[in-house]
Amino acid sequence: MSDSLPVKLTVTHRFKDSAQRVFDAWTHPVRASCWLFVAAPERSLVRAEINARVGGRFCLSDLRDGEEVEHVGEYLEVERPRRLVFTFAVPKYSEAYDRVTVDIVPDGEDCVLTLTHEMGPDGEKWKDSTQKGWSKMLAALDSWLYEAPATIQSR
C-alpha cells in the first residue's frame, strides 16, 4: 500500500441499531457473510475468515460466474465498537491495496457509520462502482440487522 492514496471516497449511513451491533457485523465471520460482498442477489460468500485484531487478516470470497473472488486485507486499527481501519484488495482485479476506515458514532440508540475508502493511483477508474458497492452493502447490512433472527445475530 502506498503512503499516498490520491483517490478518496466517503459513504455515510445511519443505522437504527447500536454501534456495538453494527461493529460486530463487520468482525464476526457468520454475521459478515450475511451482508458483506453479497449485495448482488446472484452472489454468495463461499469463505469468510476474519481475525479482527491489529495485524490480523481477513479473506472473504464470493462467487462470480462460478469463479471465487477473494477480498483480502489486514487490520491496522480495531477500536471496538467505534473504529476499524484495514487494508483492502481484490487481487483478481488489482494488486493494489487500498485503505478503508470505518467510523461508527453512537447517536442515542442509533449510530452513524462513515466509511472512507482511500484508493491508489488506478482508483479513479473504480471510484464510482466502489462507492455504489459500499452504499449497497451498508443498505444490505441495515436490512440484515433489522430482519435477522436474534439467534443468528448472537452467534
Side-chain angles (χ1 to χ4, degrees):
M1 183 176 71
S2 163
D3 289 340
S4 173
L5 297 172
V7 178
K8 184 189 254 187
L9 64 90
T10 302
V11 178
T12 302
H13 191 95
R14 172 177 286 281
F15 290 91
K16 292 190 178 294
D17 221 318
S18 71
Q20 183 66 49
R21 288 190 61 216
V22 172
F23 184 94
D24 287 347
W26 283 86
T27 60
H28 189 281
V30 171
R31 295 173 194 165
S33 67
C34 293
W35 68 274
L36 196 54
F37 305 116
V38 295
E42 69 278 4
R43 294 188 191 154
S44 63
L45 282 188
V46 294
R47 184 167 36 137
E49 299 168 1
I50 297 175
N51 183 5
R53 61 172 181 76
V54 173
R57 301 191 59 78
F58 65 87
C59 180
L60 303 162
S61 298
D62 68 2
L63 287 178
R64 298 182 188 186
D65 298 322
E67 185 176 357
E68 188 172 339
V69 177
E70 293 183 331
H71 305 75
V72 298
E74 179 180 339
Y75 292 99
L76 305 174
E77 294 179 42
V78 179
E79 299 173 22
R80 179 172 261 109
R82 297 192 179 208
R83 185 174 172 90
L84 283 171
V85 180
F86 52 89
T87 62
F88 177 76
V90 184
K92 177 176 173 52
Y93 300 116
S94 172
E95 293 181 17
Y97 274 78
D98 299 341
R99 179 183 177 101
V100 177
T101 302
V102 176
D103 287 307
I104 306 169
V105 178
D107 186 15
E109 294 181 10
D110 301 343
C111 67
V112 176
L113 183 148
T114 301
L115 181 143
T116 304
H117 190 139
E118 299 170 83
M119 306 167 90
D122 66 342
E124 198 58 49
K125 71 180 178 183
W126 300 105
K127 185 177 180 180
D128 290 342
S129 62
T130 300
Q131 186 149 15
K132 287 175 187 171
W134 282 123
S135 294
K136 284 182 181 180
M137 283 186 277
L138 294 178
L141 170 56
D142 202 1
S143 293
W144 180 79
L145 286 167
Y146 179 76
E147 295 172 3
T151 55
I152 292 174
Q153 293 183 18
S154 64
R155 281 196 240 167

